[in-house]
Amino acid sequence: MNRSETTRSFTMATWLGWQVESNWTDPFLFAIYVIIKPLASAAILVVMYSIITGGAYESPLFPYIYLGNAFYTYVGAVMAGVSWAVIDDREHYKTLKYMYIAPINIPFYWLGRGVSRFLIGTVAVIVILTAGVLFLNVPLDLTQVNWGLFIVSLLLGVTMLAMMGLILASITLMVAHHFFLIGEAVAGALYLFSGAIFPLEVLPAWLRPIGYAMPITYWLELMRRSLIGDVAQAFPTLAQYSNLQLLGILLGLTVIFAVASVFTFRWCDYRARELGLIDRVSNY
Amino acid sequence: MTHFAIETKDLSRIYKIRGNKKEKQIRKELVALENVNLTVERGELFGLLGPNGAGKTTLIKILTTLLAPTSGWARVAGYDVTQHPNLVRPRINMVSGGESSGYGLLTVRENLWMFSQFYGMPSKEANQRIVELLKMVGLEDRIHTKSSDLSTGLRQKMNIVRGFLTDPEVLFLDEPTLGLDVGAARDVRKLIRTWVDTSPLPSGEGKGEGRRTLLLTTHYMVEAEELCDRVAIINKGRVLACDTPANLKRNLQRDAIFEIETSPLNGLTSQILQDQPEVKKAALTDIEGGARLELILKEEAALASVINILTQKEIKVKRLTKREPTLEDVFMDLVGQKMEEVEKEEAPHAG
Ligand SMILES: Nc1ncnc2c1ncn2[C@@H]1O[C@H](COP(=O)(O)OP(=O)(O)O)[C@@H](O)[C@H]1O
Ligand SMILES: [Mg+2]
């Protein structure tokens, strides 16, 4: 791997991704997009929660759900951000073939294209968490946060999501038609299986293995534990694991996904060139 | 390493076309390229001339590592495109005409600068070259215009500049002047010729390493004839002839080529004319108030028998001219039809 090639692929893609993402003629609208949208989705969840539980905000279930939902923002942002670049370049800007023949590293280019959504996602997460602390008594005390665990888990988790994004991007290369929202669709489907808004025990037993195989499940648990301590006690899902064990599992699954992403990319890249899909444009 | 800029050996490409929902089982195969053997020297401006659907774009896609060949191999700048795409890519660039690609929300300068950065060009050098090239195609006053605000023609010019910007060893232009107005097409042709002729090496070094090579495809006869050092004529996936325009026409030099304008044809077909022993090829085109006949005759005397047939059919001759052969005639001689006719036949199948 040529370092300067990967570096320039990533940095220029980041630049491009930011230009594309922040292309709002009106900064006010951009602010709404970045701030109001995540707040609105959190509000829906809170309303549903209060209806179902009769407003039991003191229950440990509430911070569990609230934090799970907040950090789940990253899942959609990173996975969709990375994989969307394929569709955008091929269908909309018609530049995918020119990127392809350029001396760049395509996976690093895609990762770079996802950075801006990651940053916007970060703003969203901060906004949601702040609102939770200020208005909903989410028990988040910055002096009690396990910062070391938080930072390591966050970095590892984002890497894991980026690898999942690469897998989606590679698949997108193969299935041009009508797969516009593959990133969002996968993120939406996994929402229910990764313990974001309810513990895995709520799922029928035969669906639970999906949750246990998903690195997102362990990552969300780590984010919660690092921020508000041992909420796990309230829910037995992962209670038997220590923080370190959870980190180990997350690391292992991340490595597996990273290896899988390399092979998926190689195979899809090969097939796409066999089939002539790189510059295929859907006829709408 | 070979000294050829481009080399192909028995290169073929078959597209598998899946039937629509009703006839899913039926899988058609379309031979887009069949045993193409070409060599392009470094320093050459090489043209691929052929009607729509001939396989030109398919060939360019294979040579630029976007598409895998079904069989055979191709080398570009000395490297096999299938085995070493990563060695080919830094040495090439490509632009397709007739499409408006690019990031509309970026300015012309930003679009071009970004691509230069993907190729690892020093930023300052890139910016200088962007200005130079934009001047050459008359786009310098739009350097800060968002590319979405450009007309399709100007966008195409911007993309052509993108191809030249990285100063590749081998540049591929797929129908570079397609859809451009006369003036813009002239600017682009001039840029093409100038770029190939101003080699980074001192002049007089002959054809070899360091010389710029350009392969373009076109279905404009004149473009191939006036611009290219050598031309390969391609039809239905096969290269029918490959030589300098002058040599290609030389084979027709001994023939006599006539253009006749007549009154309506009264059922005359090209076959009737071609059945005459001295008539090599005949093409008929309907024009306003009559028809145009283009004839390739083995010798001038054969004209008499043609006139005879016309008289029998009560077709009036309005104008008769003898002309020098063009590449259009070469194509007709090779294929038996004019290029427009081939395109009309292909049109219903084109997807
Ligand atoms: N992706 C594809 N799938 C199936 N057939 C294709 C595809 N691309 C091109 N073709 C067919 O292959 C033939 C050659 O096409 P192309 O290389 O685009 O020709 P040209 O560029 O000379 O017009 C045409 O008959 C075209 O319809
Ligand atoms: Mg074409």
Side-chain angles (χ1 to χ4, degrees), chain A residues 275-276, chain B residues 15-17 30-32 50-59 61 174-175 346 349-351:
Chain A
L275 299 172
Chain B
Y15 288 110
K16 293 200 168 64
I17 304 169
L30 193 147
V31 181
N52 282 330
K56 306 182 294 296
T57 301
T58 302
L59 181 55
K61 283 199 217 169
D174 194 4
E175 314 243 10
E346 287 289 316
H349 311 291

Side-chain angles (χ1 to χ4, degrees), chain B residues 37-52:
Chain B
N37 292 292
L38 281 178
T39 49
V40 178
E41 306 257 2
R42 287 182 191 262
E44 269 195 299
L45 204 176
F46 190 89
L48 273 178
L49 173 68
N52 282 330

